[in-house]
């Protein structure tokens, strides 16, 4: 480990060519905000010389006055020096280090058998910075560089499995990795997920559709390299801000880059990364340790937490949620997923892998709710937004478990049909593919039900010019989908709608590049944020077409016939949702649909869709309130009545959810018009049944946990040579010994050195 010698080095702030770091964020914590800083940035970048420090301490201590005749002089002087040190200590640290504000770490995740992710040592890992802009630059880090260990600043296009395997193989020379975002996104694609997502937790196994198990038919995510499922012994951070990346590169050029490939002269620019993880080995190990701590310790140290959040669900017609439906009540289920992930913690834009799908379903729910006879349809419709599907179907497996055990109002036997939206934003030639399960269709009853389902979808799409429904060969398996978890429990007639017939069209599946640009959400230059919010993009029009098909199909499946052609999804709803979830969450519409106490959940950037461990997450809340406002009704209740509807005889909390929201701005745009929204939008726990059953080694249910940590941060500074460090240590030790000797001598001779003058006595004659 390379240590810093702060007392003799100085960075000239002019060498950074005026780059200014962004304002610091909040300290690194467990959920919601980006990993930030502990303190504000220094006004002036630099490491002050020891002479300046001593001068400041002397100035601070100059006000201390002692009686030269007092024997407590040394104690008083020591107190003055200590006081000066306390006054100046924080300032000195701020001049030594340049904190990095906009970073995202790779953290440790665990399941029943493995640990994946990254971590640093308990005191952080420090290394000399080396910028790698092409693969040939790795030679210096791996073999040639004379000052290991190194922290590699890696260009985003080089963040591949091949390069990471090389770095992992020489971990003794690697202290850590900082990855910059590639702009534009890598043309060949980048997906750190596996090629067969959620393998082993879907419906296909050696006993059911063995020919489809483990993606034997074909790999769904062809560009997946599995990088996010590897375990690294060094910390890896994402640099999200280009300005900070430029500051680091400038420091590297000024101090670490030498001509002709010779060894650079000290001082060198270094980086320190803190991301020590508490949990190790597997979920079984960390949960057992946490349980033991909780049982025998007054202040237990929990080392990991299950990944969990909430599913969002609503019904077209309200039902009494205090009980369960009768067996002959039929419900059509419309489902999609809420979550995504990437290699880095809480950086999960998920534009194609999740956002486009649940936005489409929100628009379909709004369109269906507006049908004149929606409240009188023979069958009910349930909209479900599953959370945690990325990690072995957490949300759907929990809902199935609750349905089987009578803990959810709708039971498995109530499900009439199941329509799921997969990835739908990257369609070729307007085609939308209908995926079904070939194994369940060996049952003739299910086969006939699936045929009715497919025919209904085709009829519903006939009047929508922007969508063409396509059937697939019945021998093709289902893609990774929540429907698979329901099929594990019961033969359900279901279909998954997706923009791909076989492998994903999404080249950035579960990666940092699955952003708005990936699904072609762009806006004309020069528009204000409010104009962007309401600008209907081509992607919004295309997704509105899919939402129209879905809403019309659900209407038919629920028994409707009279108003099918009048059901139409609103492109303006879709475009506002796209802008809010993928571009800027803090916008006027999102503000109007949330409770006043949730305003802080809306940041100036897009929402992230990692499931996390503290719940509900920001995105879950926003989806719930968007669903409530799109499908609910504004009712005339006061704030107190809305928060406690039991005061109103005509309202029923078992049938509806009541929410007091901020509402839109008034005509003068100075105040908001708050209101009460009544809807059926609710939350249901999305925690794997494995943790409720304490089956931490389960192969039936998801067992993913996230390690806890104490501190996550990154900073750069200058380091001295080992020789100078050694000299500084020896000199410091010598001064310590000398001061002890002097102190001892003064204390031993105190009676001689500090003689108190004798009081003049009375003279007698």
């Amino acid at each position: 480990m390379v240590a810093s010698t702060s007392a003799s080095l100085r960075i000239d702030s002019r060498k950074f060519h005026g780059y200014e770091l962004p304002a610091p964020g909040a300290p690194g914590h467990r959920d919601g905000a980006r990993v930030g800083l502990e303190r504000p940035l220094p006004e002036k970048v630099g490491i002050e010389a020891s002479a300046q420090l001593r001068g400041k301490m002397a100035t601070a201590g100059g006000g201390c006055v002692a009686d030269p005749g007092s024997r407590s002089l040394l104690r008083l002087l020591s107190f003055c020096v200590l006081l000066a040190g306390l006054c100046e200590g924080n300032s000195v640290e701020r001049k030594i280090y340049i904190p990095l504000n906009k970073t995202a770490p790779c953290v440790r995740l665990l399941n029943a058998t493995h640990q994946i992710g990254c971590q640093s040592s308990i005191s952080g890992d420090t290394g000399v910075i080396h910028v790698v802009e092409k693969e040939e630059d790795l030679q210096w880090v791996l073999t040639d560089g004379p000052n290991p260990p190194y922290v590699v600043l890696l260009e985003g296009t080089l963040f591949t499995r091949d390069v990471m395997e090389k770095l992992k193989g020489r971990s003794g020379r690697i202290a850590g990795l900082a990855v910059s975002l590639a702009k534009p996104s890598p043309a060949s694609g980048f997906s750190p997920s596996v090629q067969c997502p959620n393998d082993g937790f879907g419906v296909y196994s050696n006993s059911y559709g063995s020919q489809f198990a483990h993606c034997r038919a074909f790999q769904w995510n062809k560009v997946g390299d599995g990088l996010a499922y590897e375990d690294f012994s060094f910390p890896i951070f994402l640099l999200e801000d280009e300005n900070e990346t430029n500051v680091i590169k400038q420091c590297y050029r000024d101090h670490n880059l030498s001509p002709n490939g010779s060894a650079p002269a000290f001082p060198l620019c270094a980086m320190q990364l803190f991301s020590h993880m508490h949990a190790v080995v597997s979920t079984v190990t960390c949960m057992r340790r946490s349980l033991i701590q909780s049982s025998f310790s007054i202040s237990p140290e929990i080392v990991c937490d299950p990944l969990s959040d909430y599913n969002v669900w609503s019904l077209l017609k309200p039902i009494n949620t205090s009980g369960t439906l009768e067996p002959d009540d039929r419900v059509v289920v419309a489902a999609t997923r809420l979550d995504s992930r990437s290699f880095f913690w809480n950086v999960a834009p998920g534009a194609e892998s999740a956002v486009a799908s649940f936005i489409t379903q929100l628009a379909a729910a709004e369109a269906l709710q507006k049908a004149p006879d929606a409240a009188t349809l023979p069958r009910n419709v349930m909209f479900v937004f599953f959370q945690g599907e990325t990690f072995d179907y957490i949300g759907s497996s929990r809902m199935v478990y609750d349905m089987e055990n009578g803990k959810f109002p709708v039971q498995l036997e109530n499900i009439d049909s199941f329509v799921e939206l997969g990835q739908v934003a990257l369609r070729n030639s307007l085609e939308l593919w209908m995926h079904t399960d070939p194994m369940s269709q060996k049952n003739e009853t299910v086969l006939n039900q699936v045929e009715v389902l497919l025919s209904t979808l085709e009829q519903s799409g006939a009047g929508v010019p922007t969508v063409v429904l396509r059937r697939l060969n019945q021998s093709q398996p289902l893609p990774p989908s929540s429907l698979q978890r329901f099929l594990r429990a019961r033969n359900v007639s279901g279909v998954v709608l997706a923009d791909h017939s076989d492998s994903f069209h999404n080249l950035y599946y579960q990666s940092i590049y699955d952003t708005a640009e990936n699904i072609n959400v762009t806006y004309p230059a020069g528009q204000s944020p409010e104009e962007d919010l309401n600008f209907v993009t081509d992607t919004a029009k295309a997704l509105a077409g899919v939402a129209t098909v879905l809403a019309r199909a659900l209407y038919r499946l629920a028994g409707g016939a009279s108003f099918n052609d009048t059901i139409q999804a609103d492109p303006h709803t879709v475009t506002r949702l796209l802008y809010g979830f993928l571009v800027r969450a803090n916008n006027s519409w999102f503000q109007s649909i949330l409770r006043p106490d949730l305003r802080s959940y809306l940041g100036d950037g897009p929402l992230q869709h990692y499931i996390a461990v503290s719940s509900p997450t920001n995105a879950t809340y926003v989806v719930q309130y968007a669903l409530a406002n799109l499908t609910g009704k504004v009712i005339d209740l006061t704030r107190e009545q809305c928060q406690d509807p039991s005061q109103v005889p005509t309202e029923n909390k078992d049938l509806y959810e009541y929410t007091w929201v901020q509402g839109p701005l008034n005509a003068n745009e100075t105040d908001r018009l708050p209101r009460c929204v009544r809807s059926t939008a609710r939350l249901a726990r999305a925690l794997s049944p494995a943790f409720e059953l304490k089956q931490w080694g389960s192969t039936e249910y998801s067992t993913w946990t996230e390690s806890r940590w104490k501190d996550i941060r990154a900073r750069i500074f200058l380091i001295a040579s080992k020789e100078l460090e050694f000299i500084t240590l020896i000199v410091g030790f010598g001064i310590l010994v000398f001061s002890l000797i002097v102190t001892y001598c003064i204390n031993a001779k105190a009676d001689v050195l500090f003689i108190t003058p004798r009081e003049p006595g009375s003279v007698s004659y």
Side-chain angles (χ1 to χ4, degrees), residues 378-705:
R379 289 179 283 276
N380 211 337
V381 178
M382 182 170 73
F383 294 94
V384 188
F385 302 79
F386 290 118
Q387 184 64 273
E389 297 302 272
T390 299
F391 294 96
D392 299 336
Y393 305 117
I394 292 175
S396 55
S397 63
R398 178 54 185 261
M399 183 166 283
V400 170
Y401 174 81
D402 287 343
M403 286 180 171
E404 290 177 321
N405 291 277
K407 298 180 179 180
F408 192 76
V410 178
Q411 306 297 294
L412 285 172
E413 55 265 28
N414 296 128
I415 298 177
D416 181 79
S417 53
F418 194 106
V419 182
E420 181 173 353
L421 285 180
Q423 300 178 74
V424 295
L426 297 176
R427 289 180 291 135
N428 293 334
S429 304
L430 310 180
E431 292 176 329
L432 191 64
W433 298 90
M434 300 182 290
H435 297 259
T436 58
D437 172 42
M439 300 302 298
S440 60
Q441 291 182 68
K442 292 181 179 180
N443 180 306
E444 187 174 353
T445 302
V446 176
L447 176 63
N448 293 334
Q449 291 173 341
V450 171
E451 177 59 34
V452 171
L453 181 56
L454 298 179
S455 299
T456 301
L457 282 164
E458 289 172 333
Q459 294 168 14
S460 302
V464 182
T466 58
V467 182
V468 177
L469 277 299
R470 298 290 190 197
R471 296 195 185 202
L472 288 162
N473 192 309
Q474 285 192 355
S475 62
Q476 184 168 315
L478 282 170
S481 53
S482 305
L483 174 58
Q484 293 200 31
R485 290 301 303 192
F486 283 80
L487 287 170
R488 283 179 70 132
R490 185 183 180 90
N491 271 349
V492 176
S493 60
V495 61
V496 177
L497 302 177
D499 56 21
H500 54 89
S501 59
D502 40 49
S503 298
F504 298 158
H505 290 168
N506 187 5
L507 297 178
Y508 308 106
Y509 180 72
Q510 293 181 5
S511 87
I512 55 179
Y513 302 112
D514 191 9
T515 59
E517 291 76 12
N518 184 34
I519 59 172
N520 303 313
V521 175
T522 57
Y523 301 91
Q527 289 191 160
S528 67
E530 194 67 22
E531 289 172 331
D532 285 345
L533 172 66
N534 295 290
F535 178 79
V536 180
T537 63
D538 291 340
T539 300
K541 295 175 184 177
L543 292 178
V546 177
T548 299
V549 172
L550 176 61
R552 292 180 180 181
L554 294 173
Y555 178 77
R556 288 173 179 266
L557 292 169
S562 304
F563 301 97
N564 182 72
D565 294 338
T566 64
I567 296 174
Q568 186 77 38
D570 187 358
H572 288 88
T573 295
V574 177
T575 206
R576 288 189 295 178
L577 289 167
L578 284 171
Y579 182 81
F581 282 106
L582 294 177
V583 181
R584 184 185 175 92
N586 189 16
N587 61 74
S588 59
W589 188 57
F590 274 12
Q591 289 172 359
S592 69
I593 66 174
L594 288 181
R595 294 197 320 249
D597 59 306
L598 298 180
R599 286 178 296 181
S600 61
Y601 281 41
L602 303 177
D604 289 335
L607 289 168
Q608 303 300 324
H609 303 283
Y610 173 64
I611 179 176
V613 296
S614 301
S615 54
T617 61
N618 301 7
T620 301
Y621 266 132
V622 176
V623 169
Q624 180 196 8
Y625 283 90
L627 181 62
N629 280 266
L630 292 173
T631 61
K633 181 181 179 181
V634 177
I635 56 176
D636 186 20
L637 294 181
T638 66
R639 181 170 185 167
E640 290 73 22
Q641 291 173 329
C642 190
Q643 293 173 342
D644 184 14
S646 60
Q647 302 176 9
V648 185
T650 57
E651 302 298 334
N652 189 334
K653 197 167 178 60
D654 289 333
L655 295 178
Y656 297 101
E657 284 287 309
Y658 298 82
T659 309
W660 185 259
V661 300
Q662 293 190 95
L665 291 170
N666 61 15
N668 297 327
E669 296 189 354
T670 54
D671 297 306
R672 292 194 172 274
L673 304 173
R675 55 194 184 182
C676 185
V677 176
R678 185 182 68 189
S679 73
T680 61
R682 294 181 172 90
L683 299 179
R685 198 79 174 97
L687 171 68
S688 172
F691 298 100
E692 187 160 307
L693 300 170
K694 294 187 177 180
Q695 297 176 359
W696 304 320
S698 173
T699 57
E700 170 70 15
Y701 299 112
S702 171
T703 56
W704 285 104
T705 55

Side-chain angles (χ1 to χ4, degrees), residues 260-300:
N260 305 321
S262 59
F266 286 92
L268 299 176
C269 191
M271 184 181 295
Q272 191 172 28
L273 303 173
F274 296 85
S275 63
H276 181 67
M277 301 288 128
H278 296 173
V280 294
V281 183
S282 67
T283 290
V284 176
T285 301
C286 78
M287 291 298 292
R288 185 172 62 241
R289 284 179 58 191
S290 298
L291 181 63
I292 293 172
Q293 285 275 337
S294 301
S295 302
F296 298 101
S297 176
I298 298 176
S299 55

Side-chain angles (χ1 to χ4, degrees), residues 165-180:
E165 289 290 347
K166 292 178 182 178
L167 296 174
K168 190 176 181 180
R170 298 299 302 274
S171 57
R173 292 180 60 89
I174 305 299
L177 191 68
V179 181
S180 63

Side-chain angles (χ1 to χ4, degrees), residues 115-373:
Q115 66 178 29
I116 63 173
C118 324
Q119 77 155 354
S120 73
S121 62
I122 194 168
S123 57
D125 290 338
T126 303
V128 175
I129 296 172
H130 188 74
V131 177
V132 175
E133 296 178 331
K134 53 185 182 299
E135 198 161 344
E136 292 76 16
D137 295 337
L138 288 172
Q139 188 70 21
W140 181 269
V141 174
L142 299 177
T143 58
D144 296 347
N147 300 303
Y150 289 94
V151 170
V152 178
L153 175 53
L154 191 68
E155 291 294 323
T157 52
L158 294 177
F159 188 52
T160 63
R161 188 179 184 90
D162 290 341
V163 170
M164 292 304 297
E165 289 290 347
K166 292 178 182 178
L167 296 174
K168 190 176 181 180
R170 298 299 302 274
S171 57
R173 292 180 60 89
I174 305 299
L177 191 68
V179 181
S180 63
L181 282 169
K183 294 183 179 179
S185 302
S188 59
F190 172 71
S191 173
S193 183
V194 292
Q195 294 187 344
C196 188
N198 292 351
D199 185 22
F201 289 86
V203 68
Y204 303 116
S205 64
N206 293 332
S207 59
Y208 184 94
S210 58
Q211 67 272 34
F212 306 128
H214 312 298
C215 295
R216 290 193 179 107
F218 48 83
Q219 303 296 328
W220 291 104
N221 182 30
K222 282 188 175 180
V223 297
D225 60 12
L227 194 60
Y229 291 84
E230 293 291 325
D231 185 40
F232 295 92
S233 59
F234 49 81
I236 303 176
F237 278 61
L238 174 68
L239 301 175
E240 298 184 275
D241 184 76
E242 188 176 358
N243 192 38
E244 286 189 345
T245 303
N246 290 333
V247 169
I248 298 170
K249 289 182 176 180
Q250 188 62 46
C251 184
Y252 164 78
R253 287 191 290 266
D254 288 342
H255 297 279
N256 299 6
L257 192 60
S258 58
N260 305 321
S262 59
F266 286 92
L268 299 176
C269 191
M271 184 181 295
Q272 191 172 28
L273 303 173
F274 296 85
S275 63
H276 181 67
M277 301 288 128
H278 296 173
V280 294
V281 183
S282 67
T283 290
V284 176
T285 301
C286 78
M287 291 298 292
R288 185 172 62 241
R289 284 179 58 191
S290 298
L291 181 63
I292 293 172
Q293 285 275 337
S294 301
S295 302
F296 298 101
S297 176
I298 298 176
S299 55
E301 180 186 357
I302 308 301
V303 296
C304 67
D305 301 283
L307 294 181
S308 65
D309 196 14
Y310 287 87
N311 298 324
V312 180
W313 66 284
S314 74
L315 286 156
L316 183 64
K317 298 184 290 184
I319 63 171
N320 192 328
T321 56
S322 61
T324 58
L325 293 178
E326 295 297 327
D328 56 346
D329 291 332
R330 310 302 293 164
V331 176
V332 179
V333 177
T336 189
R337 67 171 57 188
L338 281 179
D339 67 305
S340 184
R341 68 165 302 197
S342 74
F343 187 89
F344 301 98
W345 180 76
N346 206 26
V347 182
E352 161 72 344
S353 58
V355 177
S357 306
F358 71 67
I359 283 176
T360 301
Q361 183 157 298
L362 286 169
E366 179 191 36
L368 182 59
Q369 192 72 46
K370 291 178 178 178
D373 58 344

